[in-house]
Amino acid sequence: MATGRSGCRRFNLAAATGRQLMRLRFSTPFSALFFALLLALFSVLSCSADIPAGENKPASVRNIILLIGDGMGPAQFGLLESYARRAPNSIYQGRPTAVSQLMQQGKVLLSDTGPHDVLVTDSACSATQLAIGEASGSEMIGLNARGDSVETILQKAKRAGMRTGLVSDTRITHATPAAFAAHQPHRRFENEIAADLLTTAPDLMLSGGLRYFLPQDAANISTEQQKQISAAQLTLKSKRTDQRNLLSEAQQQGYALAFSREQLAQQQHLPVLGLFASSAMDDAIYASQNPASAQPDLNELTRKALQLLGASEHGFFLMVEGGQIDWAAHNNDAGALLHELLRFDAAIQEVVNWAADRDDTLVVLTADHETGGFGFSYSAHDVPAARTLPGSGMRGQAFAPNYNFAPLSLLDRLYAQKKGYYRLWADTSTDASSDGQKGLPTADSLMAEVNAALDFPFSRTQAERVLRRDPNPHFDPQTDDPAGATQPHIEDFSDFYVYREERYLNALARELASAQSVVWSTGTHTAAPVPVVISGPEPILQNFQGFTQHAKLGHQLKALIKTDGTGPTELGD
């Protein structure tokens, strides 16, 4: 990506030299004045020689692209780079990741993601803070900490005459994309969020979440819509509790509809509403194994978004989310996490390629929070045998570390995973297992499925431990479903594994931890600060410094956009 100049460095050098010379004793005041004028002339000529005609215009950007890796904290950035650079069989083969390319082009900050009055954030609150540029509250969508609706950066961009777009590999009604175009007191109101999205009317929306746009009664879905949906191999299942057909409402607003890769490829004009899954889109491992699927992958969605939005004469705002990074980390699934990071990096590469020769585009990559407390760690498990090194400094001693410091081959073994834990669990679960618990695998079926999908041995004893259940200390018999009286067993820090039935996946991760040299501290989010990578014109980059906060970052991005119809410009106050 082309970058602007930050100013003439020779001018500063000349000024410094001038200060030194002015300390000299001159024979007359005229001599001192002569030297001062000479230095000033030298400074002007030096700068003029360095700056070609037209390059001294005020710094500005025409396009703003915000990339959000949901749950992508510092350790997740590290996993991506460790695999790319150090895995013996890395698919990058010496090429830099798109993330590292952005880092080379711009600058890297750290940001506190915390909400108004607590330490730890969720995706809705954090994305809202980025979107509105103000502090927000937990699980709010498009509201500030007082509960007021606040114009988002996408809505401001639209008011300024810019094109706007949202892309996610989750659902378009999910927390992160919703925060940029909806206003709701809680993220769970996805039916209302779907309606809000059409009210805001971004020019492009590409994701999953079809079920929130379909009327409760399939008879109210038009024949042509049913034909398109059926061709994409999607169901007509609805999550709405009313008969609103938001697809028809979108078409009345001028939207073209797309439900498959083929249908999306046919779209050459905005606005476009693409809904490629009933709920969430396919996970990265499954998508990579099914390239002929009707569902486009995240990099394809990003490429199409740039193609359509990039034609705007007034610039555009685009948010792209790698949302399933977060889901893999919630499940403590290291192999799936790696694949989600790789998928997001492929989407980022589309942005890097598109912006490569432009000096009018600001690209911001960050996360909404860190998920899982992920990390590699050394352990006493499977300590490697002593071996001889050829170096003279060993003085005849064997190389014998006291611990297992995690060999690089683990990176390839994580990449070799054939199923994410969530899909693995669903595939091995039965209608009724031997103990009568609906939807659970047996120890034998779980052992077989894990050994088939992962390159880490898994025993029947481990499977039995994963399937244990305990009384739920938070169960209220007066209000809760009786099925919640027990919950999957977690050995310690149990309260930090809040998604009750998904705790089985966290228990599976605990059993595999030693073999993978991977540790997780939670099944939820942490308050770890997250990286912010910013690339664009140098004078604008100077406004982003050091340790920041997501609400401040959102405020700075919103301030780039003028509302006089000329699109974005340099940062204001």
Side-chain angles (χ1 to χ4, degrees), residues 108 140 536:
V108 182
M140 289 180 174

Side-chain angles (χ1 to χ4, degrees), residues 241 365 472:
T241 57
L365 165 64
N472 179 0

